[in-house]
Amino acid sequence: MRISVIGCGYLGAVHAACMAKLGHDVVGIDVDSEKIDALAASKSPFYEPGLDQLLEEVQATGRLSFTNDMAHAAGSSVHFICVGTPQKSGENGADMRFVDAATHALLEHLAPGDIVVGKSTVPVGTAARLASDIHRRQPEAHLVWNPEFLREGHAVADTLSPDRFVYGVDGGSEDHPAVAVLDEVYSVPLSAGTPRLITDHATAELVKTAANSFLATKISFINAMAELCEASGADVSRLADAIGLDDRIGRKFLNAGIGFGGGCLPKDIRAFMARAGELGADQALTFLREVDAINMRRRSRVVEVTRDLCDDSLLGKRITVLGAAFKPESDDVRDSPALSIAAQLQLQGAVVTVTDPKALPNAAKRFPELHYEADPLKAATKADAILLLTEWPVFRDLDPYELAANVTVPRILDGRNVLDAAKWRAAGWTYRGLGRP
Ligand code: UDX
């Protein structure tokens, strides 16, 4: 099939490459020429494991091209909308400018029978609104809402073999003409047994925000338990292991630490609350305010534990922060708890050096006032305290003896509870976890 993918960021670039991998002819379209040039040269503009190789592989087949000209969408029978919906500046709601602009720019290129597929995370009600815009311009085109659940760092595998497909179509019926078209797009993963659910537009939109809200709630739940563990001397990691063995609860997403960040969970729960308010259902989501508050408290808690670790004063203390990305295997620093903690420590008088295997260029753009060093051992030179804030394997595998030789005082705060406390203590370190004795 000929497919266009509009928006080539974290979601769209991966989606375009994966659709070509599935055998389709794909054109990726984005207004950012720099991004397009990089992608056309098989260079991902961001770090995502396996993406550069995949781009190279599919571009060699001639099935994938990139352009900044929307006119190239004409001739595709399926058009994926993959642009971002960031948080509005100064408000909780989602900024819909990019989705609206991309959809409206596409309208004049739609032919009868074309399917527009929304993948961006949007406030419920958006699809109905866009569907009527599309209908006015091209009555024989259809809109499907097909939310994307990929995780950064696993984006290629999550796109090629997702947990499930959700198709939101007008009326929510299997017989909707768009269903068969989308089944053809995804025929490879569907034939491998990936479940697919047909819903109406609103349900499909809500599936995505509900899933992200549930994940955020799970993380904040365990971080609230960490607060209780801190108050009572208990160990939140063992607590999570024990409750996680109940398969109704499950151990995944119960890692307590510095909390969640990134370009999705924080802004999605806020946009969800804002939308619920518009719908007169704000009470239903007041708990998400608490989820957000627990999450943000983790960051101040780390600053306080660091102060405590540094003999009650941060002034002039040299702090090394291991990790800038919001999670490992990503160079994404959007709402990164690690960077936000690093910046707060610097504001309170510490001299902060940040190291990260991939995210330093993005981090330096966002917080130019921090110091950056690519080599973790050099970054730790003369440190008064080390903070492990993003659990990259290279940081988890650091040798406590080797690191001790570089620092002024061997003190470590394990913000992700991933280090073996006994091993670090045996090497002479003062070890602090979060929610652990
Ligand atoms: C998330 C959803 O998982 C994905 O389905 C959706 O499509 C987009 O949003 P992503 O933002 O890539 O994906 O990251 P995710 O792996 O969900 O992690 C989010 C944040 O939660 C990270 O900062 C991570 O460090 C944190 N986290 C995760 C925890 O603090 N504890 C956990 O147990 C799990």
Side-chain angles (χ1 to χ4, degrees):
M1 298 177 84
R2 189 166 188 277
I3 287 177
S4 64
V5 175
I6 299 153
C8 293
Y10 285 97
L11 163 57
V14 175
H15 195 69
C18 289
M19 291 304 101
K21 172 79 179 170
L22 294 180
H24 304 299
D25 279 324
V26 182
V27 56
I29 305 172
D30 198 291
V31 290
D32 181 343
S33 300
E34 235 174 81
K35 207 177 265 179
I36 288 301
D37 291 346
L39 287 164
S42 299
K43 285 268 162 281
S44 167
F46 50 86
Y47 175 67
E48 180 60 44
L51 182 57
D52 281 348
Q53 296 91 308
L54 180 63
L55 284 167
E56 223 164 275
E57 179 194 326
V58 289
Q59 274 173 327
T61 65
R63 287 200 303 268
L64 177 61
S65 61
F66 290 97
T67 176
N68 55 13
D69 183 359
M70 186 64 92
H72 285 91
S76 292
S77 42
V78 179
H79 311 269
F80 285 98
I81 306 285
C82 295
V83 294
T85 49
Q87 187 173 338
K88 271 189 204 158
S89 162
E91 285 177 55
N92 269 353
D95 185 345
M96 296 303 293
R97 274 180 301 173
F98 306 110
V99 170
D100 291 347
T103 311
H104 291 144
L106 175 66
L107 289 181
E108 64 176 293
H109 305 291
L110 289 179
D114 278 8
I115 311 288
V116 180
V117 187
K119 290 200 88 63
S120 310
T121 302
V122 294
V124 59
T126 303
R129 176 169 64 77
L130 296 178
S132 76
D133 294 347
I134 291 168
H135 186 77
R136 262 198 306 277
R137 187 68 181 245
Q138 180 45 267
E140 287 169 66
H142 302 282
L143 177 74
V144 185
W145 215 263
N146 173 222
E148 177 55 58
F149 305 102
L150 66 78
R151 299 158 298 165
E152 288 178 28
H154 304 268
V156 173
D158 284 354
T159 307
L160 290 173
S161 37
D163 297 342
R164 75 289 206 193
F165 289 110
V166 175
Y167 305 173
V169 293
D170 190 18
S173 153
E174 277 275 343
D175 304 329
H176 191 284
V179 170
V181 180
L182 218 47
D183 277 353
E184 200 182 329
V185 172
Y186 295 132
S187 64
V188 175
L190 284 173
S191 63
T194 306
R196 78 144 164 62
L197 282 87
I198 312 294
T199 70
D200 52 44
H201 280 149
T203 306
E205 293 168 310
L206 281 173
V207 168
K208 177 60 193 275
T209 28
N212 275 358
S213 299
F214 191 83
L215 294 173
T217 303
K218 223 176 158 185
I219 300 169
S220 277
F221 172 82
I222 201 65
N223 280 328
M225 294 305 109
E227 290 184 12
L228 275 165
C229 288
E230 278 152 18
S232 61
D235 183 336
V236 74
S237 296
R238 300 305 285 157
L239 174 84
D241 291 342
I243 64 173
L245 283 170
D246 181 333
D247 67 8
R248 293 170 304 174
I249 297 174
R251 180 62 177 83
K252 288 181 185 164
F253 269 68
L254 283 184
N255 295 320
I258 65 172
F260 59 81
C264 294
L265 299 192
K267 64 108 177 154
D268 286 352
I269 61 169
R270 291 173 195 153
F272 201 17
M273 285 186 270
R275 185 63 183 137
E278 287 167 5
L279 293 168
D282 43 345
Q283 255 196 321
L285 297 187
T286 44
F287 75 96
L288 285 179
R289 214 188 304 272
E290 198 52 41
V291 165
D292 203 358
I294 293 166
N295 192 51
M296 299 315 280
R297 260 199 323 263
R298 299 314 289 165
R299 302 180 185 189
S300 356
R301 170 79 188 150
V302 172
V303 174
E304 289 324 309
V305 176
T306 309
R307 191 194 314 280
D308 188 42
L309 206 52
C310 291
D311 308 321
D312 284 331
S313 169
L314 289 169
L315 276 180
K317 295 285 164 55
R318 298 178 69 90
I319 311 280
T320 302
V321 168
L322 306 176
F326 83 103
K327 69 176 200 179
E329 304 305 335
S330 171
D331 65 356
D332 194 347
V333 299
R334 287 176 295 172
D335 207 351
S336 164
L339 262 190
S340 138
I341 289 163
Q344 283 182 46
L345 289 167
Q346 175 106 346
L347 271 178
Q348 298 199 24
V351 180
V352 181
T353 302
V354 181
T355 182
D356 190 285
K358 297 286 176 192
L360 291 190
N362 285 343
K365 271 183 236 154
R366 195 153 285 214
F367 290 103
E369 66 274 26
L370 297 170
H371 305 277
Y372 297 101
E373 166 56 57
D375 179 337
L377 286 179
K378 279 194 197 148
T381 306
K382 296 201 168 70
D384 293 297
I386 307 273
L387 273 51
L388 192 165
L389 299 187
T390 312
E391 67 278 33
W392 285 94
V394 65
F395 300 149
R396 299 171 78 136
D397 295 344
L398 280 168
D399 177 354
Y401 291 95
E402 198 183 355
L403 199 61
N406 282 36
V407 301
T408 300
V409 194
R411 300 188 272 222
I412 187 154
L413 194 164
D414 179 4
R416 297 290 187 169
N417 291 334
V418 289
L419 299 176
D420 178 345
K423 181 172 142 191
W424 283 75
R425 285 181 179 134
W429 288 76
T430 302
Y431 169 94
R432 291 282 295 267
L434 291 177
R436 299 170 90 186

